[in-house]
Amino acid sequence: MFIYITKRLLWVIPTILTVLLVLFSLSYLLPGDPADIILGPRATPEMAAELESRLGLDKPWYQSYLIYLQNIIKGDLGSSIFKDRSVLKVILNVLPYTVILTLAGMGLAVFNGISIGLLAANYNNSYFEKFLTMISFITASTPTYIAGVLLIVIFSVNFNLLPSIGIGDGGLLETIHHLIGPALALSVGWTGYIARLTRSSMLETLDQEFIQTEKSFGIPRYYILYKYALKKAIKPIITVIGLGIGRLLGGAVFVEVIFNRPGLGRLIVDSVNERDLPMVRGGVLVAALLFIIANLIADISYAYFDPRIRQK
Amino acid sequence: MPEKILKIDDLAVEYKNKGKYLRVLQGINLELKKEEILALVGESGSGKSTLGKTILRLLPDSARIKQGKIIFKDQDICSLSEKDFNDQIRGQEMAMVIQNPQNALNPVFKVGTQILDVLYFKSKKQKSRKELKKEAVEILKKVGISDPEYRFGEYPHQFSGGMKQRVMLAMAFISNPSLLIADEPTTALDLTVEAQILNLLSNLVEEYQTSILYISHDLGVVAGLSDRIAVMYAGRIVEVAQTRELFAEPNHPYTEALLNCLPDYQKTEELQTIPGQVPDLNNYPTGCNFHPRCSYSFARCRQEEPRLEEIDSEHFSACFLNDP
């Protein structure tokens, strides 16, 4: 178990180094001269030279990569080109909103998805199951931005139940009230996906011989379903949840724009539009870290669900 | 005359496949006496396992009982509701051990947890799992698992095949069933382990006074174990007799052919086989199901289906040769 976790942790290092290399090479891979692109046609040569030295473009790439790495290790993500603020501070300001939104969206998707999937597996081959499968398909194929707009039209405009923009005044109830719409919009696609996965994984497990054994020894159906089969069937679902965090972070961009919320996704999109290279690098790095952490948690939780992994 | 524990009366079972029902079992009549080991033998696909699963209601949704009764201790268990069947029969009166111990235990739960749950539901949730643990460890010791206290907390993949089958037997006998359905419990094991498990099974049967329906394709195994043998072919029982009598005087041509297939290490002649294959479910022959492979078949075999009839005391056979 300890060795397994240590191994997983060690794997994080090369992953992060690769992410950093890709982010670093952005300024070389983008077509044209970065200083020109960022500053526009009216830049003076002095301004361009100053920017190039700030971005480290006046040194050979390997030197500048080392400096970049050094700064990152020190926790310095540089400063924004326009806002003249520390990138780290800007990101830390908006990060909680994105983390809460993603967790709430994932929570909803996992809860609803697994519930629908379990019901569908339990009532397999009935009309109820066909209905649930249809719902899964519809939700799985609804893009986040359409779900967001629909939710606003229905719950904010028509029924006036949910706020359509913003994050509230910071109070707990306000925060939750403002979170419902965005979290639902974010969860829709994954709800259907997780539901379908849960159903197929459960059906596959229920087909196995040990389920028959348990049944033949008089263990009741509900117990077999929710204890014995679910724990065996959950592994692929966890994998997908881990990967899903990355997709949800992507979806959060739309949700943050549609519901006018601050957040990491929106920050990255705005920075790309402004060609604020240090901000883009910092934002993507933090997003990548979130993704890596989510997958790490998923990997480690395998060990809880599957004893065979623990002993490896 | 020992009392009957199980009586199967004219049972027919069908599987639904592509909208059509295919008969898998037909006209099954079988009796099992108290403390008797009845072996059910036949080739793969003859319906032996289906019969075992039908008794314990473990058939998939696509299967249905078309007709017939299963009477267990004077009660028609086909008429019980699913809930009553689970509460009264499974794990209380009957249990099953399946062929492949590798897949018989849930890989993600501790062996102890799985044994305790069986006990817990056997006790109708009246006793706590803590109280039951002593009982569970006791039975593990009985089936020959060394250091059961420690093994209790281990997972199935830490057990060998033979050990798993011992655990399965422990789980089956822990509920002290009147009837155990053993579906080829030793087929997946190697020969020495097989002998150990068979030995253990005989001891347990004696101790718990359980009747066993022992499903096997191996006449060699059942010869030493069973009291009586029922031979199945293509969804029907073709011959039932005392074990000794069946080996000494097989009546049905299929039984005879099966016995000829038993390898004998003292003879050097080639292995015998029965020509042809078990008929396809979609395409049963008319008349006797065995006639296309039978060397004695005559006109009537192709037209009528023979019925299981008593040809000697306690010896039944379904063949027109007895009634030309």
Side-chain angles (χ1 to χ4, degrees):
Chain A
M1 181 73 180
F2 177 75
I3 296 173
Y4 172 74
I5 292 179
T6 318
K7 255 190 203 163
R8 299 307 317 158
L9 281 173
L10 285 178
W11 262 109
V12 168
I13 296 171
T15 316
I16 290 182
L17 282 179
T18 313
V19 170
L20 286 173
L21 189 63
V22 171
L23 286 177
F24 171 77
S25 54
L26 266 185
S27 48
Y28 295 89
L29 293 175
L30 288 175
D33 184 54
D36 267 1
I37 296 167
I38 292 168
L39 295 173
R42 276 176 295 176
T44 59
E46 290 80 28
M47 282 165 77
E50 197 234 314
L51 184 69
E52 277 185 355
S53 94
R54 263 181 68 189
L55 293 176
L57 292 173
D58 52 349
K59 299 182 188 71
W61 71 269
Y62 51 89
Q63 266 185 22
S64 125
Y65 181 54
L66 285 179
I67 294 169
Y68 177 63
L69 283 186
Q70 265 174 9
N71 287 337
I72 298 258
I73 290 165
K74 280 188 255 166
D76 178 10
L77 297 183
S79 54
S80 162
I81 289 179
F82 302 104
K83 293 166 188 146
D84 203 27
R85 274 182 299 168
S86 150
V87 166
L88 190 65
K89 262 192 192 144
V90 176
I91 290 176
L92 287 181
N93 262 335
V94 297
L95 190 60
Y97 301 111
T98 300
V99 169
I100 289 173
L101 177 65
T102 312
L103 287 181
M106 197 34 116
L108 276 177
V110 167
F111 181 78
N112 293 336
I114 290 185
S115 307
I116 294 175
L118 281 176
L119 278 175
N122 193 15
Y123 294 99
N124 193 27
N125 284 333
S126 68
Y127 282 106
F128 184 50
E129 185 251 325
K130 301 233 156 44
F131 171 71
L132 290 173
T133 306
M134 200 175 70
I135 290 193
S136 314
F137 267 109
I138 292 173
T139 52
S141 44
T142 308
T144 310
Y145 49 91
I146 291 189
V149 172
L150 275 179
L151 283 168
I152 289 180
V153 169
I154 296 169
F155 291 105
S156 306
V157 179
N158 285 352
F159 294 105
N160 205 15
L161 289 172
L162 296 174
S164 63
I165 56 165
I167 50 168
D169 59 8
L172 184 65
L173 276 180
E174 270 288 276
T175 308
I176 293 175
H177 196 204
H178 280 80
L179 198 59
I180 297 174
L184 261 180
L186 194 56
S187 74
V188 161
W190 279 86
T191 304
Y193 194 61
I194 291 176
R196 280 168 50 200
L197 194 69
T198 306
R199 175 180 168 272
S200 62
S201 183
M202 278 296 280
L203 287 179
E204 195 184 304
T205 307
L206 287 174
D207 221 29
Q208 303 220 16
E209 282 182 321
F210 57 80
I211 296 291
Q212 280 218 334
T213 317
E214 283 152 9
K215 222 171 149 186
S216 78
F217 290 142
I219 294 181
R221 186 178 159 82
Y222 73 91
Y223 206 78
I224 291 179
L225 217 57
Y226 299 119
K227 180 174 175 178
Y228 281 114
L230 185 57
K231 192 176 174 189
K232 176 81 203 332
I234 203 127
K235 214 170 122 189
I237 304 171
I238 291 174
T239 315
V240 160
I241 292 172
L243 293 171
I245 293 281
R247 292 271 292 273
L248 281 196
L249 283 171
V253 177
F254 294 114
V255 173
E256 281 161 4
V257 171
I258 292 169
F259 288 89
N260 200 17
R261 294 168 60 90
L264 186 63
R266 216 174 130 194
L267 178 73
I268 296 174
V269 172
D270 288 349
S271 310
V272 168
N273 285 335
E274 292 166 355
R275 298 186 175 75
D276 190 345
L277 197 57
M279 195 65 103
V280 174
R281 275 182 181 162
V284 175
L285 178 63
V286 172
L289 279 179
L290 289 180
F291 186 61
I292 290 170
I293 291 169
N295 277 292
L296 194 65
I297 294 172
D299 275 355
I300 290 172
S301 64
Y302 283 168
Y304 170 74
F305 288 106
D306 193 340
R308 285 165 295 188
I309 288 180
R310 244 173 279 169
Q311 260 112 33
K312 264 183 201 160
Chain B
M1 173 119 172
E3 67 177 290
K4 283 172 212 154
I5 187 151
L6 181 78
K7 186 172 187 308
I8 297 173
D9 201 7
D10 198 24
L11 182 76
V13 173
E14 293 178 327
Y15 273 115
K16 194 174 186 176
N17 184 21
K18 292 176 189 155
K20 265 198 329 194
Y21 277 102
L22 305 172
R23 55 175 188 171
V24 190
L25 295 178
Q26 181 131 31
I28 301 285
N29 287 299
L30 200 62
E31 280 177 17
L32 193 58
K33 297 174 196 121
K34 207 173 170 194
E35 293 171 47
E36 180 186 46
I37 301 183
L38 174 67
L40 199 58
V41 296
E43 281 166 279
S44 310
S46 59
K48 327 179 284 280
S49 292
T50 303
L51 182 54
K53 285 178 185 166
T54 309
I55 297 170
L56 259 177
R57 262 198 219 179
L58 294 173
L59 290 176
D61 292 339
S62 58
R64 66 170 188 191
I65 295 180
K66 188 169 178 233
Q67 63 174 47
K69 280 183 195 158
I70 301 174
I71 293 157
F72 179 74
K73 289 187 172 172
D74 299 326
Q75 188 188 15
D76 181 4
I77 53 172
C78 289
S79 62
L80 284 173
S81 75
E82 180 61 29
K83 188 181 179 301
D84 287 345
F85 189 81
N86 205 47
D87 289 349
Q88 295 169 20
I89 305 292
R90 286 191 202 123
Q92 307 282 343
E93 293 283 358
M94 292 186 201
M96 184 161 104
V97 181
I98 61 167
Q99 177 175 350
N100 190 351
Q102 304 300 348
N103 301 333
L105 288 162
N106 192 319
V108 300
F109 285 92
K110 286 177 185 157
V111 168
T113 311
Q114 302 188 45
I115 298 176
L116 278 184
D117 277 341
V118 174
L119 269 179
Y120 178 66
F121 286 105
K122 160 78 179 174
S123 78
K124 308 252 182 235
K125 306 189 210 172
Q126 295 305 310
K127 292 185 193 162
S128 74
R129 287 183 172 76
K130 242 189 191 148
E131 293 171 67
L132 293 168
K133 190 173 172 185
K134 237 184 93 192
E135 255 178 86
V137 170
E138 202 54 44
I139 192 137
L140 278 183
K141 214 178 282 173
K142 204 175 275 174
V143 297
I145 294 207
S146 51
D147 202 0
E149 293 269 4
Y150 177 73
R151 291 299 225 163
F152 208 73
E154 288 201 313
Y155 287 91
H157 70 274
Q158 292 162 299
F159 284 63
S160 67
M163 283 298 190
K164 278 185 212 170
Q165 205 58 299
R166 282 170 196 269
V167 171
M168 290 305 298
L169 286 176
M171 286 167 87
F173 279 97
I174 214 166
S175 49
N176 194 4
S178 323
L179 173 64
L180 176 73
I181 295 170
D183 190 354
E184 310 212 24
T186 61
T187 305
L189 305 172
D190 63 59
L191 279 174
T192 46
V193 180
E194 178 174 40
Q196 290 169 10
I197 296 288
L198 287 175
N199 226 333
L200 175 66
L201 189 66
S202 323
N203 294 342
L204 288 169
V205 168
E206 217 162 287
E207 184 177 342
Y208 286 89
Q209 304 183 325
T210 311
S211 313
I212 296 193
L213 182 65
Y214 193 97
I215 299 167
S216 177
H217 63 259
D218 190 342
L219 276 166
V221 165
V222 300
L225 185 76
S226 63
D227 302 310
R228 283 194 305 148
I229 295 180
V231 181
M232 275 189 88
Y233 184 77
R236 287 172 172 277
I237 290 177
V238 294
E239 184 165 6
V240 185
Q242 303 279 347
T243 303
R244 195 168 299 210
E245 186 163 333
L246 190 97
F247 276 89
E249 293 173 46
N251 180 278
H252 198 279
Y254 178 61
T255 315
E256 198 186 310
L258 271 186
L259 289 173
N260 281 339
C261 293
L262 276 181
D264 187 339
Y265 70 94
Q266 285 173 326
K267 292 183 196 156
T268 48
E269 58 192 71
E270 264 186 58
L271 280 177
Q272 295 281 315
T273 55
I274 307 177
Q277 284 168 350
V278 178
D280 184 30
L281 282 179
N282 277 309
N283 200 4
Y284 274 150
T286 55
C288 172
N289 282 335
F290 188 58
H291 86 254
R293 300 170 78 185
C294 179
S295 46
Y296 306 101
S297 70
F298 51 99
R300 193 176 169 195
C301 302
R302 284 182 280 275
Q303 289 145 13
E304 281 177 64
E305 287 183 54
R307 296 174 57 87
L308 200 61
E309 271 165 46
E310 191 157 12
I311 52 161
D312 204 344
S313 116
E314 298 262 322
H315 192 158
F316 299 84
S317 178
C319 185
F320 289 129
L321 286 174
N322 302 310
D323 176 29

